[in-house]
Each structure stands twice: as C-alpha cells, then as structure tokens.
Amino acid sequence: MPAPATSVQYVKGIGPRLAEVLAAKGIHTVDDLLHYLPFRYEDRLNPRGIAELRAGEMATVIAEVRNSGLFRTRRMPIFQMTAGQGRARLKCIWFNATYLRDRFKPGQTVALYGKVEQDHYGGELQIVQPQFEILGDADDTSSDAAAQKAAASLEIGRIVPIYESAGQGRLSSHWFRRIIHTTLETLPPDLPDPIPEAVRQHLSLISPREALWKVHWPEPGESLQDLQSSRTPAHIRLIFEELFFVELGLELKRRQQKAQTGIAFRLDEGVRSAIKKILPFHPTGAQKRALKEIASDMAQPSPMRRLLQGDVGSGKTLVAFEAAIIAIENGYQVALMAPTEILAQQHYFSARRILEHAGYRVVLLTGSLEDSQKRDIRRHIVQGDAQLVIGTHALIEQKVEFAKLGLVIVDEQHRFGVLQRFKLMKKTGEPGNSHVGRAAPGRPAEQSSAASPEPDVLVMTATPIPRTLALTLYGDLDVSVLDEMPPGRVPIVTRCLPDDRSPEVWDFVRKQAAAGHQAYVVYPVIEENEETELKAAIKMYKELSKKIFPDLRVGLLHGRMEPDLKDQVMRLFQKGELDILVSTTVIEVGVDVANATVMVIEHAERFGLAQLHQLRGRIGRGAAKSCCILMTGGKVSEDGERRLDAMVRTTDGFQIAELDLELRGPGEFFGTRQAGLPSFQVANLIRDRQLLEAAKLEAATVLAGPNAEISKEEIDRAVRHMRTRWQGTYGLVEVG
Ligand code: ADP
Ligand code: MG
C-alpha cells in the first residue's frame, strides 16, 4: 500500500492533473482519499421494481434507458428520459438540463434515485430530477468480461456509497467508488492502529482497516439509517479517531503549559482585603466561583491559562479587575488587551472608576495618542510605575516592554480559535519571542534571562460557545463560566417590526428619552458596500437629528471617524449628554451605558444572530426596563426569519449560540478556517459532540499514564501519530 501520507497523484489512475481536481476538495494524500466518505448510501441490494413504486416514496430503481430527449417549453428547456423494466416504464425529468442532451443511450443500464411522484397530467409515475448513474453501456466492449462483471458488482446488488463529485462532475461518484475501492484493496491486513488498546476497549472500537472498508462498502445487513446519520461502528471509529488525536494534541499542549515555570502569587489577607475594597457591589455567585478558580490558578507555581466565558453583561470585567489586583498587590504589572480602541477606552473608563479610585495606577495606550504621549506612557511601563496597562492587542503585543509583567488579560470579543491562540500564547508566553514580558534594557540580567517566569493569562470571551465546542476550541485552556446575570436586571423585551411602522418606534424612543433614558439606533455596515451603507447611516443620522428628533440630542458614531471624535461622542453618550446614538456596529462590543434602554436595529435581517445578540447586550444593563426593536426592510429570507424569531423568543446567549451554530455550520460560526478551527476530515462538531466529549476524556486518560492499562510505548506511539497528523492535516507544527 502507498503510505497514507503519499500524494494522491501517485495512486494508479490519478496523476498530476486529477490530483489538482482532488486538491480542490481537500484531498491531497492517500489518507485523505480514504477518508473521503460517502455523503449518502443507496440500497441497491433491494432496488425497487417500477411496477411496485408508490407516489411519495424515495426509491432506487435500476432500469434500462428506452429513450430520451430535450423539450423546449416557453419557460425553460426540459430534459426527459424514459427508463423501463419489461413493460413497466418510469419517466424522469430534469429542468434546465441541456447538458444531459447526449448523456443517455437506449439500452444502457441506469441507477436512478429520487422521490417518486404522480405526474399531474398523465397520472403516471415519475421522478423529478433524480440522482442517476449510468452503470453500463449496451455497447461497452472496451474491457474484458471478468473486469466488467467485477466492476458491475460495485454498483448493483449491495448498499452502494454515493460520493460528492469533484471538478464540476468530472470525477463522478462512480469514479470515486472505483478509485477508493482499488485503494482499499492495497490496505495491509494488519494495518496498525494508532489508538491505544485501552481506549479502543473503552469505546469498543473496530479496527481501522475494518472501519475503512465498511464505511465505504457497508455489509448487506447494515442499517441504512445508521449509515445516513454516520452512526455505524465504522463511522464512529473513524470520527472518534480524528477527534481523539485533536484532543490529544490539545491536552499535551495544556500539560506542557502547566509544566512551565510561572508565578506563584501570594493570596493573603492583604490581597483579599484589597479586592474587597474595590468591589462596587456584591459579586454574583458565578463571579465568586470564577474568581476562586482564577485565584487558585494564580497561586500555583505554574502559569495560568484560563478562559473566562460569560454572556454580554454577565460581569466579566469585574472578575478581571479582581484578578488584576492579585497581581498588582504582589508587585507585578498587568496588561489588558482589547480587540478595538473603543473597547480599550471602555475598559479604561471602568478601570479608572474602580481601580484608580482605589489608588492603583492605570494607563491607556492607544494609537490615537501623540507620539510624545506614547513615549511617556511606555516609559512608565518600562519603569514599572504603570500597574495596569490597557490597550489594543496590536499595541501591547508589538511595542511594549514591561518591567515586571505578571498577568495578561486578553479580552477576546472576536472568535479566536485554537491555532490563533497558539500563536498568541507564543507571543505572550515566551519571553524570547516577544516584547511582552521582556524586562527593560538596563534591568538586572536575571530578569531578562530565559528563566524568567511566564505571566499568567486570562482570556475573556463573550461568545457563548456551547460547552462541548468550547472543549475543542479552547481545549488548551481551563474554562470558568459566568452563567448568572448580576441581580436587578429586568429582562429585555424584543420586538420585530417592518420598517413602515417606524413612526411608532420613534414615538417610543421619544417617550423613553422624555423619561430620561437613552437609545441606540444601529445600521448595518456590510463590508462589500461599506461606502453606501455608511452613507445610509449618515443620512439617517441627518434625518433623525433634523426632522424626527430636532428637539433631542442625537450623536453619530461610526468606524471611519477620527478616533478623537469617536471618543468625544462616546464620552457624551456615557455622560448622558446625548439622548440618541446613531451608530454602525462599532458599538457591538463592550460599550456599557446603564441608562440606555432602547436598541433599535434597522435592517435587522441583515445581521448575524451573534451580532444581534451582542448588540442587544448593550441595553438591559440597569434597573429600568429595556426594549430591543428589530426593524426589517424588504424581504426576509427563511434563515433571516429564524434569526429574528430566535431573538424575540430568547435572551439566553447559549441558546442563541446553538441556533447560530445550527444555521451557519461550524465553519462560519467560528469565522471559517481563519478562526483556526481545524477543518475535519470526517468529524462534524455539531453532529459528533458526544464523541468529542469522549475523545477529550480519553486523551486526558492516556496522557495521565503510563499505568496498568496503558504502556509508555503506546503513549509514545499515539503522540508520534498525533504530531504527524497535526502537521499534515492542521498545519500545526508548533504542537508538542
Ligand atoms: P461583560 O464584560 O461580561 O459584558 P460587564 O463586566 O461590562 O459585563 O458588566 C455589565 C454591567 O454589570 C456593568 O455595568 C457592571 O458594572 C455591572 N455588574 C457587574 N457585576 C455586577 C454585580 N455583581 N452586581 C451588580 N452589577 C454588576
Ligand atoms: Mg500562577
């Protein structure tokens, strides 16, 4: 057998040209080819006789082509083919299918699959747009009889795998069936199993060879339903294997992080009372729990790598500040990295209110500062008198040198995935690779030596990722969850209205303003036509400020504004000196104005679910009742309806995330591959959550060895296999 990592180009029958076509499908190696699973199976063991078909059923029929032809109707060309078995006939039609014109020849055997229907006119049975496959040509004399018979046996009289075709149909399902079959035949009988024996037993996994054969060529008795839902033992084995090695990599990474030298922060009475002193309110139970977990990590001599996950408004900032105090009271500096300048601002506001007030020295480093100011601030940081440094990721990662950095807080509103995080950790985590954590020039040598301890890292995310997915995405982190909202919140009421009812909406906004509250009015800015959208926001701002609310104070905020101006507007709104803030989605993240009680979102159908949820999270932060109004303009797609409906129905971020995931699929949900989510060969994160849990558990068990169940050799072998896989499939050279 060619080695699994061999390029498919060397498989007999492929070659460089077809290899390119396959590459577009993500099939690069022999292993990829073997893991190119059927997306459907057809029971050709029991193909149906045409005479016994019933309208409404899905059926596979194997029959002979009788005649075919293209008809032009006024609306579109229709291709019709009649297949027969003896006297029985079945009509098949395809719309707009000029390309089928020369496809069928009388006498050919074809397999047809689709939904049987009653023809409206003639009353006879037909299949509209069936899947089809030509099994044999009447005049096929090219190959010898034995080979033909063998080939035919792959197509009929069994459960047949159906593959997605590649290269615009150039490589058909039929082609894949043969090439994969040939490749399977080269598998050695004793194909080694990279999964340790103990794990195999825990999950009753079948061998890799058996799994590969059966997933492509199911045995006659196999349940069609299990096959279609990828739940046969063969599927489970392959899916588990993939997830297991992903989790093994993450687990190993975690262990290595733990093994590094960190800072064991002191947690004495002094620190405790310092924390108590700053608290503006009683922490929620969830906040207490999270702080306890964080504090206990920080007290450990190994570096903390923890994710603080909590819906918008759950109070993550307070917890982060508490953690900051632990570090500062121990004589260390803290860096807080925000994804945007506005958010950095926002954190700075809160930090000043809560921390500066208590005598801690907080600095804000933003791109909009004068160079001389930046230099000044950097000097404070290098000298160690700035205790909490707030800025954007870019600023802090690239240019800042700390005297004594003890804790890095990463506010991650965007969805970083595993891969990106590895890069980030590398920056913040390895003194030699980054300016972060490196001692200032002129400091004692031992502080800048490679032995200087790793700072602790706390990542905050507002993305309510379903727990099982957090396991994969954040598999290298420990997770604390804020699953409780601060008390006194009045639930937000959400309504959805077409935009011709805007007069009512503006009336409502006016009433709220009269009652002393503030409102956001948000417009979508979609990147491709940012210019026109931006104009729409600006135009609406003019209309709202001049015509609709000439008596109210209306402000405008968008991403293209000068940072100084943005600041000024935010400050005005924060201080209550604006009644209405017209804005693009720049306010999506982190803005915290408790007096704002109305969020009007125009063209809400154009926003993603997560984005809508984030936007809505800007209100409902105080004790007054808040209202989110989703206005729709124009036609709303089916998915759009579902998104709006979900928003009206629930404010639970986790429920919304689940639906979002379902609507968009994992790739989109996490922002495609850029988000650093490994793209899986056979696993599907939604469908296979349980297997993911199991894989995580087993990976941890394996690395806890060796013991009676698992030998050192087995562990080493599994880890070696994991490394090769991670490098090959996920391009992750860094792991391990
Ligand atoms: P997040 O960052 O998780 O979106 P914030 O930290 O901005 O949430 O908190 C949201 C709001 O709730 C802030 O106005 C904050 O001051 C307030 N808050 C946080 N914790 C509590 C608490 N335990 N009790 C009352 N209010 C709280
Ligand atoms: Mg520590």
Side-chain angles (χ1 to χ4, degrees):
M1 167 197 167
T6 308
S7 161
V8 277
Q9 146 175 17
Y10 303 111
V11 171
K12 196 167 163 250
I14 296 187
R17 266 184 34 246
L18 292 187
E20 248 171 66
V21 176
L22 291 172
K25 276 269 177 207
I27 304 171
H28 305 280
T29 62
V30 169
D31 188 66
D32 292 336
L33 183 64
L34 288 174
H35 287 86
Y36 189 67
L37 302 195
F39 76 99
R40 186 167 74 72
Y41 296 84
E42 236 174 74
D43 184 1
R44 293 190 190 157
L45 198 62
N46 302 302
R48 308 291 310 276
I50 293 177
E52 61 186 78
L53 293 178
R54 298 230 182 308
E57 68 178 343
M58 298 295 294
T60 301
V61 172
I62 293 172
E64 193 186 292
V65 175
R66 292 285 157 80
N67 57 55
S68 65
L70 192 65
F71 299 87
R72 297 200 177 269
T73 67
R74 230 183 309 150
R75 286 173 55 214
M76 66 178 102
I78 291 180
F79 185 80
Q80 182 173 323
M81 187 270 284
T82 305
Q85 286 168 348
R87 277 216 218 123
R89 277 155 176 266
L90 179 66
K91 191 167 81 182
C92 301
I93 58 179
W94 289 265
F95 301 113
N96 270 326
T98 324
Y99 62 92
L100 287 178
R101 191 169 17 204
D102 302 317
R103 205 58 186 278
F104 299 98
K105 295 188 197 90
Q108 280 173 332
T109 307
V110 282
L112 299 156
Y113 173 80
K115 188 166 180 189
V116 180
E117 293 175 0
Q118 197 106 44
D119 176 8
H120 289 312
Y121 305 104
E124 64 208 282
L125 291 182
Q126 65 178 21
I127 302 185
V128 177
Q129 316 262 73
Q131 312 257 0
F132 71 92
E133 192 170 324
I134 297 167
L135 300 182
D137 282 350
D139 57 353
D140 188 352
T141 51
S142 53
S143 44
D144 62 86
Q148 235 185 55
K149 198 165 161 222
S153 73
L154 295 185
E155 318 287 350
I156 308 179
R158 61 198 312 167
I159 297 175
V160 177
I162 312 290
Y163 302 88
E164 240 172 63
S165 64
Q168 272 106 40
R170 229 167 100 205
L171 302 182
S172 63
S173 177
H174 180 78
W175 182 87
F176 276 110
R177 208 174 289 146
R178 288 178 190 215
I179 205 88
I180 290 173
H181 192 268
T182 319
T183 312
L184 283 170
E185 278 181 323
T186 66
L187 284 180
D190 53 347
L191 187 66
D193 193 338
I195 298 182
E197 174 64 29
V199 176
R200 252 180 290 161
Q201 281 184 7
H202 293 167
L203 286 122
S204 317
L205 300 178
I206 63 176
S207 79
R209 184 176 196 280
E210 188 182 351
L212 283 170
W213 266 107
K214 287 187 173 164
V215 83
H216 292 286
W217 299 101
E219 296 196 324
E222 193 55 88
S223 142
L224 214 54
Q225 198 189 336
D226 287 354
L227 284 166
Q228 312 290 30
S229 55
S230 304
R231 284 291 86 103
T232 66
H235 282 97
I236 286 172
R237 148 84 214 193
L238 297 179
I239 292 166
F240 177 84
E241 178 179 333
E242 177 162 45
L243 296 172
F244 173 75
F245 285 107
V246 167
E247 291 299 335
L248 194 69
L250 292 172
E251 183 65 28
L252 195 68
K253 185 82 192 164
R254 224 159 77 129
R255 285 173 170 261
Q256 285 169 344
Q257 283 165 354
K258 289 256 153 78
Q260 287 174 321
T261 318
I263 307 157
F265 291 101
R266 201 170 26 82
L267 281 180
D268 54 19
E269 214 28 66
V271 176
R272 267 181 249 278
S273 71
I275 292 177
K276 283 213 188 89
K277 253 202 310 222
I278 63 132
L279 286 181
F281 19 59
H282 288 295
T284 63
Q287 282 171 322
K288 278 191 206 146
R289 202 178 335 113
L291 180 66
K292 210 168 146 196
E293 288 163 355
I294 291 167
S296 122
D297 278 5
M298 289 181 76
Q300 298 293 322
S302 60
M304 167 169 77
R305 295 293 181 261
R306 184 168 285 274
L307 177 77
L308 178 60
Q309 193 192 354
D311 208 347
V312 278
S314 58
K316 293 183 291 296
T317 318
L318 188 69
V319 177
F321 287 166
E322 291 175 313
I325 289 176
I326 298 177
I328 296 173
E329 287 290 329
N330 275 266
Y332 284 86
Q333 290 171 294
V334 179
L336 197 173
M337 306 202 283
T340 65
E341 278 213 8
I342 290 195
L343 197 55
Q345 285 280 1
Q346 185 75 42
H347 282 310
Y348 182 58
F349 281 134
S350 326
R352 278 178 48 188
R353 206 173 58 220
I354 296 175
L355 295 177
E356 218 168 59
H357 197 68
Y360 297 104
R361 293 182 301 276
V362 183
V363 297
L364 173 68
L365 191 62
T366 63
S368 50
L369 292 172
E370 300 281 323
D371 281 352
S372 63
Q373 290 173 303
K374 281 189 211 160
R375 261 199 306 278
D376 242 24
I377 293 177
R378 289 213 189 95
R379 196 164 36 81
H380 284 301
I381 302 172
V382 162
Q383 290 173 349
D385 31 294
Q387 293 172 307
L388 172 62
V389 180
I390 301 176
T392 59
H393 293 196
L395 265 181
I396 294 189
E397 273 177 46
Q398 288 158 18
K399 303 185 189 127
V400 181
E401 292 178 3
F402 286 81
K404 204 177 173 194
L405 184 65
L407 171 67
V408 177
I409 302 169
V410 183
D411 189 355
E412 177 199 273
Q413 300 286 341
H414 296 298
R415 310 183 168 97
F416 288 128
V418 173
L419 308 195
Q420 268 175 355
R421 191 181 336 285
F422 281 147
K423 286 183 191 136
L424 192 67
M425 294 284 180
K426 228 175 133 91
K427 280 208 148 227
T428 54
E430 282 165 40
N433 279 332
S434 162
H435 298 279
V436 175
R438 195 198 270 180
R443 291 256 150 188
E446 67 271 79
Q447 281 197 24
S448 59
S449 78
S452 68
E454 296 281 304
D456 281 354
V457 176
L458 179 67
V459 181
M460 299 195 281
T461 179
T463 311
I465 302 155
R467 203 190 109 73
T468 41
L469 294 181
L471 290 181
T472 300
L473 270 186
Y474 300 109
D476 53 328
L477 303 181
D478 298 305
V479 181
S480 295
V481 182
L482 295 184
D483 52 6
E484 181 186 348
M485 285 289 171
R489 297 281 167 88
V490 183
I492 302 171
V493 175
T494 304
R495 303 273 314 270
C496 185
L497 295 172
D499 62 4
D500 54 12
R501 291 180 62 184
S502 56
E504 290 166 56
V505 175
W506 304 137
D507 266 358
F508 176 72
V509 170
R510 181 181 300 283
K511 280 198 196 110
Q512 290 284 308
H517 295 304
Q518 293 162 282
Y520 298 97
V521 180
V522 181
Y523 289 86
V525 169
I526 293 158
E527 261 167 54
E528 324 50 294
N529 46 24
E530 201 177 319
E531 287 301 328
T532 46
E533 303 280 354
L534 207 55
K535 275 193 209 125
I538 295 168
K539 200 172 129 220
M540 274 315 289
Y541 163 69
K542 286 189 180 138
E543 170 144 352
L544 288 173
S545 57
K546 300 234 163 74
K547 294 204 185 117
I548 302 175
F549 303 115
D551 50 329
L552 295 181
R553 298 161 299 175
V554 185
L556 173 67
L557 188 72
H558 63 73
R560 293 277 190 87
M561 274 161 50
E562 285 295 313
D564 276 356
L565 198 57
K566 264 195 257 182
D567 265 23
Q568 217 180 325
V569 174
M570 264 325 294
R571 254 177 248 257
L572 285 178
F573 193 68
Q574 195 111 38
K575 282 194 275 179
E577 290 172 15
L578 290 174
D579 302 300
I580 299 171
L581 185 61
V582 178
S583 139
T584 58
T585 49
V586 289
I587 60 143
E588 184 184 342
V589 280
V591 174
D592 184 18
V593 179
N595 189 45
T597 55
V598 185
M599 165 71 58
V600 179
I601 305 176
E602 297 235 35
H603 287 291
E605 76 280 1
R606 295 195 203 163
F607 290 88
L609 198 44
Q611 212 177 11
L612 289 173
H613 180 69
Q614 287 285 329
L615 283 169
R616 181 170 58 184
R618 301 302 113 222
I619 56 169
R621 301 190 147 231
K625 186 166 172 172
S626 289
C627 186
C628 173
I629 302 166
L630 306 170
M631 297 225 275
T632 58
K635 196 168 153 30
V636 181
S637 68
E638 199 177 305
D639 274 3
E641 291 282 2
R642 290 184 66 187
R643 289 196 295 268
L644 297 173
D645 184 53
M647 286 293 293
V648 172
R649 222 178 37 231
T650 179
T651 53
D652 179 333
F654 283 89
Q655 274 187 35
I656 287 186
E658 299 255 347
L659 183 71
D660 199 22
L661 188 62
E662 195 182 298
L663 286 175
R664 291 198 288 163
E668 288 254 331
F669 180 86
F670 297 112
T672 68
R673 298 191 68 161
Q674 283 174 10
L677 187 71
S679 73
F680 293 101
Q681 279 183 314
V682 292
N684 170 325
L685 288 183
I686 301 177
R687 183 190 65 200
D688 302 323
R689 287 181 198 189
Q690 279 180 329
L691 287 173
L692 183 64
E693 293 259 17
K696 165 115 181 146
L697 198 72
E698 292 295 335
T701 317
V702 166
L703 290 181
N707 50 35
E709 263 204 320
I710 182 159
S711 70
K712 178 154 188 325
E713 290 70 49
E714 273 186 301
I715 299 174
D716 289 346
R717 197 150 48 81
V719 168
R720 266 200 311 276
H721 183 82
M722 178 275 294
R723 287 212 175 103
T724 335
R725 274 197 69 93
W726 274 64
Q727 283 166 17
T729 312
Y730 311 122
L732 247 196
V733 190
E734 293 152 60
V735 74

